Amino acid sequence: MRADRLAERLVVMPEPQARNKRLMRLYFTYRVILSIGLLVFSMTDTGPSFLGSTAPDLHIVTILAYLVLAIASLALSFFDLDSMQMEYAFAMLIDSIVISILLYTSGGTQSGLGILLGISIAFGAQGMPTRIAMASAAIATAAIFVGAYLESIVHGRPFGNFTLLIMLGSSYFALAFLSHELAARTQLSEKLVKQQGKDIANLTELNDQVIHHMQTGVVVLDNRGHIRMLNDAAWQFLGRPISTVGYSLNQISSDLAQSLANWEKQPRSQQRHLHTHTEGNDLLVKFQHLGENEKTGTLIFLDDASRAAEAAQQLKLASLGKLVASIAHEIRNPLGAIGHANQLLQESEHLQGTDRRMTEIINRNTSRLNQVIENILSLSRQRAVKPERIRLDVWLGKLCKELGNSHQLQPHQMISYVSPQDTTLTFDPQQVFQIISALVENAVKHQSQKGEDLIISLTGGMDAGIREGYIAVIDNGIAIPSDVVDKVFEPFFTTSNQGTGLGLYIVKELCDANNIRISYLPVSSGGNCFRLKFTPSDNNA
């Protein structure tokens, strides 16, 4: 994992086995140095006078034997024998025997050489379990007692310095216990530090993922104005520069650098509007100092102004939709009364020609207004999507005949074609029927001047390259002007005096509800094409 690799870089801790191995080699190196030092002191008479004063020959032989054993132990420690505890125990046993003999040859416990055994115990206890460490202290204590007892027998002196021997033995046990506890706490601290390093690395990775996937651009500058970090959104906003981290902000975006300079002169103005020349983006920029010291660095937030405006527009449209729906409910009953009264008036035998034309105008406009209300209410009553597996050629063939009959079109004016023929798609047939019906009705209404020359084609199938299903409604009428193409799906936009401007808006809303992408394409030979694209995960050929 990336977090583990980061943790290893943050916290470098040796493995317990390697740490114990290194400690053991340090202990064995100390033994070699100690034996060499004792040998030099004894051979050159430069050391303390009490060394070897009782039995010089035994003293030299013991030191030589200790030197050989110490060198052998050190050499073996560089091999992976997988017997570390045994090596420790053997070294402690040798040290106990050797130092006990040296105490005997140097005048007993008064010489102070017993402290050397304490150092060995302190070293060895760090790499051994508790029971072995305490056993080593017990062996060392027994060794000095036996040495003192043998000395009293050989020299015919009474067994003395009992208190000193007890204190020395007690110190061995204390050193073994404290040294082992210190080693255990050190290992525990290392584990804790390593775990905290992993936690920090995980949090760092989490922060990186969150920041880099934010839609808001984030740029972090150091106290010199150089970029320390920026996320993907900021990289897009700043024109996708090749190199960023380590470069000055002015090298990446002079517009943003100038805006930062202006903010530093007037820091009260938190949010600023910025137009970048590189990508032509309109950005909302917010600056903030990092840390308590304002010279630590600067944090910059970048937001797409058009996206913020679009969000505001969506909120406005949502509020407007609720208002219009409530008004539509209020208008519907009076409008029904007007329509009913107009029908009764039309049935009167006393109506003259001019008055009858007036009733026809009333009837036409009440019908139009009622259609607007029905369209608005249909948006608020939109039912849940119920997708089904549909054999496209059969379904489009039936739909083609039904729509041709309802709009009084000749068979050659309403045709369907599917490729490949066995294409099946998954969609809500009722809502997609409503979408295609609205598109066909829109074509018939706006191309009525073509008469019997109007041809509407319903084509569908599967794009071979991307395995994406589609249905297209194509007519051969007059193409929609290019300057209004971007507005055709907006509510209440219409190019006809008789239109409500809600037909294609409802189509777009139904497409969004069904996860269908709708797009308008002009036909090169003349005409219009509305193409419905179904996502690959929702269909199969």
Side-chain angles (χ1 to χ4, degrees):
M1 282 181 62
R2 180 169 169 242
D4 290 337
R5 293 195 299 270
L6 181 59
E8 289 174 0
R9 292 197 300 269
L10 287 174
V11 182
V12 180
M13 291 290 182
E15 293 296 326
Q17 184 75 9
R19 188 185 69 86
N20 290 336
K21 195 76 172 176
R22 190 172 66 249
L23 184 63
M24 185 178 72
R25 288 172 185 160
L26 179 62
Y27 169 40
F28 288 173
T29 302
Y30 155 75
R31 296 171 74 230
V32 171
I33 295 173
L34 175 62
S35 59
I36 293 174
L38 290 173
L39 183 61
V40 170
F41 288 155
S42 299
M43 298 294 290
T44 60
D45 292 331
T46 57
S49 59
F50 60 82
L51 290 176
S53 58
T54 305
D57 294 336
L58 178 60
H59 186 80
I60 294 294
V61 171
T62 303
I63 293 175
L64 288 173
Y66 186 47
L67 177 61
V68 172
L69 292 173
I71 293 175
S73 298
L74 179 61
L76 289 174
S77 69
F78 287 93
F79 296 95
D80 190 10
L81 300 179
D82 198 21
S83 57
M84 193 178 303
Q85 291 185 10
M86 186 174 294
E87 292 181 69
Y88 263 122
F90 181 73
M92 288 296 304
L93 179 62
I94 295 299
D95 285 1
S96 298
I97 296 173
V98 168
I99 294 175
S100 296
I101 295 175
L102 293 181
L103 283 172
Y104 170 76
T105 62
S106 300
T109 54
Q110 296 88 345
S111 64
L113 292 179
I115 194 63
L116 298 178
L117 195 52
I119 297 174
S120 297
I121 292 172
F123 264 117
Q126 296 187 48
M128 295 187 293
T130 306
R131 63 181 185 278
I132 299 179
M134 300 307 290
S136 299
I139 292 172
T141 302
I144 61 173
F145 269 92
V146 169
Y149 178 72
L150 292 176
E151 181 185 2
S152 66
I153 293 176
V154 171
H155 295 286
R157 294 195 298 262
F159 186 71
N161 298 321
F162 193 75
T163 304
L164 183 60
L165 290 173
I166 291 176
M167 293 178 61
L168 195 58
S170 300
S171 67
Y172 293 162
F173 282 99
L175 280 171
F177 177 77
L178 293 175
S179 183
H180 185 272
E181 282 295 307
L182 178 62
R185 289 179 180 272
T186 301
Q187 291 182 7
L188 183 62
S189 298
E190 287 179 357
K191 290 181 181 179
L192 181 60
V193 170
K194 198 164 188 177
Q195 183 59 46
Q196 289 176 341
K198 287 184 178 180
D199 293 341
I200 293 172
N202 286 328
L203 288 174
T204 302
E205 184 178 6
L206 176 62
N207 289 338
D208 287 344
Q209 291 294 329
V210 170
I211 291 173
H212 280 286
H213 286 83
M214 287 173 59
Q215 292 185 341
T216 299
V218 179
V219 182
V220 180
L221 303 178
D222 61 17
N223 56 355
R224 299 179 299 164
H226 290 185
I227 296 176
R228 291 170 53 189
M229 187 273 288
L230 82 168
N231 65 352
D232 295 339
W235 180 73
Q236 295 279 348
F237 289 148
L238 298 180
R240 305 177 184 87
I242 297 175
S243 299
T244 53
V245 177
Y247 287 77
S248 68
L249 182 62
N250 191 51
Q251 291 175 290
I252 304 301
S253 174
S254 56
D255 300 321
L256 186 57
Q258 182 61 44
S259 183
L260 174 60
N262 294 336
W263 172 76
E264 288 176 342
K265 295 177 183 177
Q266 295 179 340
R268 292 184 180 179
S269 177
Q270 290 293 324
Q271 187 162 286
R272 295 167 180 264
H273 191 87
L274 175 67
H275 180 81
T276 60
H277 297 293
T278 52
E279 291 288 305
N281 293 320
D282 284 324
L283 303 176
L284 293 177
V285 185
K286 186 177 180 181
F287 303 98
Q288 182 177 334
H289 284 300
L290 290 174
E292 297 179 359
N293 185 359
E294 294 186 356
K295 294 183 179 181
T296 303
T298 307
L299 184 62
I300 305 175
F301 296 99
L302 305 173
D303 279 300
D304 191 343
S306 60
R307 191 169 63 212
E310 182 180 350
Q313 179 70 8
Q314 290 296 328
L315 290 174
K316 191 183 299 182
L317 287 175
S319 301
L320 180 61
K322 292 180 181 179
L323 176 62
V324 171
S326 62
I327 294 174
H329 276 290
E330 295 297 326
I331 293 176
R332 197 172 192 183
N333 290 333
L335 183 63
I338 293 171
H340 183 65
N342 186 61
Q343 287 179 354
L344 294 176
L345 189 61
Q346 285 179 322
E347 294 173 1
S348 175
E349 300 177 354
H350 304 290
L351 280 179
Q352 301 298 323
T354 303
D355 293 337
R356 188 167 295 278
R357 283 197 301 274
M358 293 296 181
T359 58
E360 291 174 355
I361 293 172
I362 294 173
N363 184 61
R364 186 166 60 250
N365 283 279
T366 52
S367 298
R368 180 186 173 191
L369 188 55
N370 186 66
Q371 184 61 43
V372 173
I373 293 173
E374 287 294 331
N375 289 336
I376 292 172
L377 294 178
S378 68
L379 288 174
S380 61
R381 293 196 301 261
Q382 195 176 101
R383 68 177 182 84
V385 178
K386 298 178 180 179
E388 300 177 15
R389 294 284 295 169
I390 304 294
R391 173 71 181 252
L392 194 58
D393 59 338
V394 177
W395 188 78
L396 273 185
K398 292 180 180 179
L399 178 61
C400 190
K401 291 180 181 179
E402 184 176 345
L403 292 177
N405 293 333
S406 64
H407 292 289
Q408 299 179 351
L409 298 175
Q410 298 298 321
H412 72 278
Q413 291 184 276
M414 194 78 191
I415 58 177
S416 65
Y417 174 74
V418 175
S419 177
Q421 191 172 359
D422 61 346
T423 299
T424 58
L425 300 179
T426 302
F427 56 80
D428 186 324
Q430 183 175 340
Q431 294 196 7
V432 174
F433 171 85
Q434 188 177 350
I435 292 169
I436 296 177
S437 177
L439 293 174
V440 170
E441 182 180 353
N442 192 66
V444 172
K445 182 169 60 176
H446 287 86
Q447 311 295 344
S448 58
Q449 69 274 16
K450 291 185 70 71
E452 294 186 359
D453 293 332
L454 175 65
I455 298 177
I456 300 175
S457 302
L458 303 181
T459 65
M462 187 76 65
D463 285 336
I466 57 176
R467 309 299 298 166
E468 186 175 63
Y470 72 91
I471 298 175
V473 180
I474 306 171
D475 66 69
N476 64 340
I478 301 173
I480 298 175
S482 58
D483 58 335
V484 300
V485 166
D486 295 336
K487 302 178 182 179
V488 294
F489 295 113
E490 293 182 1
F492 305 111
F493 175 79
T494 180
T495 58
S496 170
N497 293 331
Q498 303 298 322
T500 63
L502 288 173
L504 291 180
Y505 174 68
I506 294 174
V507 166
K508 181 67 168 59
E509 290 295 309
L510 287 172
C511 286
D512 290 343
N514 286 269
N515 199 23
I516 298 171
R517 290 171 291 160
I518 183 170
S519 58
Y520 170 79
L521 302 170
V523 180
S524 58
S525 59
N528 306 278
C529 172
F530 287 92
R531 186 179 176 93
L532 310 178
K533 294 182 180 181
F534 298 81
T535 57
S537 60
D538 293 337
N539 59 75
N540 294 295

